[in-house]
Amino acid sequence: MKKVINTQAAPAAIGPYSQAIEAGNLVYTSGQLPIDPATGAFPEGGIKAQTRQSLTNVEAVLKAAGLNMNAVVKTTVFLADMADFADMNSVYSEFFAEPFPARSAVAVKTLPKGALVEIEVVAAKG
């Protein structure tokens, strides 16, 4: 059985998908673009500001599921340019503590709305 997770504290889905789905003891978030839910815009400041906003959105979705970043077991980071990896990583490290979740980071040709980063996570309940 699956349960839809939704919050106004993160950007609304812009297509036929949910912000997150809880299935069993796992919560799967959709990729979170760096959209400020209050303004509908990307923050200024390049990859660092966009990474911070994407992870803030992830936090909001997890909070709606009753979780926090410590519950994250796997992340996937999509970058528009792998040259931004170090700057993304410096902000990313502010959101996670040991034991760190597993992670994949890949460069993609383009991201929706011209974003520099998109981040999705899998978190475990209990």
Side-chain angles (χ1 to χ4, degrees):
M1 184 168 170
K2 63 183 182 179
K3 175 184 172 188
V4 174
I5 307 297
N6 190 36
T7 179
Q8 292 184 2
I14 56 174
Y17 61 90
S18 301
Q19 287 175 324
I21 293 290
E22 181 178 327
N25 71 330
L26 296 176
V27 173
Y28 301 86
T29 72
S30 291
Q32 294 298 306
L33 291 172
I35 297 171
D36 182 331
T39 66
F42 293 154
E44 293 185 21
I47 188 64
K48 286 186 175 186
Q50 287 196 22
T51 300
R52 187 168 282 106
Q53 185 63 58
S54 287
L55 288 168
T56 298
N57 294 343
V58 166
E59 276 185 318
V61 173
L62 291 176
K63 183 177 179 183
L67 299 172
N68 60 38
M69 297 299 262
N70 291 331
V72 175
V73 295
K74 172 69 168 80
T75 67
T76 305
V77 179
F78 302 95
L79 293 166
D81 186 344
M82 194 54 79
D84 287 333
F85 181 85
D87 286 338
M88 175 280 299
N89 201 49
S90 70
V91 174
Y92 179 98
S93 68
E94 297 170 13
F95 284 79
F96 296 100
E98 291 189 32
F100 299 113
R103 178 178 75 185
S104 299
V106 296
V108 296
K109 186 174 178 182
T110 57
L111 287 167
K113 299 184 176 255
L116 300 176
V117 65
E118 181 175 6
I119 301 171
E120 67 183 26
V121 307
V122 178
K125 294 191 112 177

